[in-house]
Amino acid sequence: VEGAGLGPDFDDDGRGIAPPQGEDGDVGADTDVAQSDTKELVLEEIPPLKETPPIKVALVVEPTPFTHVSGYSNRYQEMLKFLDKAGDIVEIVCPDDKPNPPKSFLSYPITYTKGFRFSLYNHICLSVDHQFEAYKMIRRIAPDVVHVTTPGFIAVPSTITAKLQNVPLV
């Protein structure tokens, strides 16, 4: 949707938009879908973002999407913009070894844990979170969900903490 800032998958009200589907449910699989119809189909009604109460999200992400530039970092920044528009409460823990990393993104505070450069791909900073920053954040904010994404090691202590605190993990 042009100008919405949410990408092509959401309309201005935050409702999900899906591409046309064939009779068997596969996207683009059925050529019987009218090619001249440029309107997108709304598969199921998704409530406006502010219709549901805000949720608390503990986001543990590695490498940092704030000083590491990639499609991955763009995806996280867009996700945070969407969560902000919904009014959700988010706190972030990630490793970073760059000088003066940002203290927040949008209104969301970022806590950094010490990390190291991965020897096989030194463009990313990874962490085992030996400072227990994710643990402290999860205990402090009592989130509704813990979202962990990493190609590295920070997932292990974060997963254990979420399990011990009985918080859903995605």
Side-chain angles (χ1 to χ4, degrees), residues 89-113:
I89 300 154
V90 179
E91 286 200 29
I92 305 156
V93 169
C94 58
D96 202 339
D97 61 355
K98 299 260 173 109
N100 304 314
K103 294 180 184 345
S104 65
F105 182 78
L106 302 172
S107 60
Y108 302 133
I110 305 169
T111 301
Y112 293 98
T113 184

Side-chain angles (χ1 to χ4, degrees), residues 113-134:
T113 184
K114 290 188 180 181
F116 59 92
R117 292 285 158 169
F118 186 54
S119 61
L120 298 176
Y121 188 69
N122 67 359
H123 295 288
I124 60 174
C125 182
L126 303 177
S127 176
V128 294
D129 193 20
H130 67 279
Q131 297 169 291
F132 300 103
E133 295 297 343

Side-chain angles (χ1 to χ4, degrees), residues 17-159:
I17 303 295
Q21 291 187 352
E23 291 176 16
D24 59 357
D26 288 342
V27 174
D30 191 344
T31 57
D32 292 338
V33 174
Q35 297 297 321
S36 63
D37 187 8
T38 59
K39 291 183 181 178
E40 294 175 320
L41 302 175
V42 176
L43 287 181
E44 61 182 67
E45 189 69 20
I46 297 175
L49 293 174
K50 299 281 186 170
E51 189 171 299
T52 58
I55 62 169
K56 288 191 281 184
V57 180
L59 178 61
V60 182
V61 58
E62 156 183 84
T64 177
F66 308 109
T67 60
H68 175 75
V69 179
S70 66
Y72 168 88
S73 62
N74 293 339
R75 184 186 90 148
Y76 269 88
Q77 290 179 15
E78 287 302 309
M79 178 186 73
L80 289 168
K81 289 175 187 175
F82 185 73
L83 293 170
D84 184 56
K85 186 174 180 178
D88 293 329
I89 300 154
V90 179
E91 286 200 29
I92 305 156
V93 169
C94 58
D96 202 339
D97 61 355
K98 299 260 173 109
N100 304 314
K103 294 180 184 345
S104 65
F105 182 78
L106 302 172
S107 60
Y108 302 133
I110 305 169
T111 301
Y112 293 98
T113 184
K114 290 188 180 181
F116 59 92
R117 292 285 158 169
F118 186 54
S119 61
L120 298 176
Y121 188 69
N122 67 359
H123 295 288
I124 60 174
C125 182
L126 303 177
S127 176
V128 294
D129 193 20
H130 67 279
Q131 297 169 291
F132 300 103
E133 295 297 343
Y135 172 82
K136 292 178 212 173
M137 174 189 58
I138 294 167
R139 293 276 307 208
R140 183 181 69 254
I141 71 169
D144 297 307
V145 65
V146 176
H147 182 140
V148 179
T149 304
T150 174
F153 312 102
I154 202 168
V156 175
S158 302
T159 300

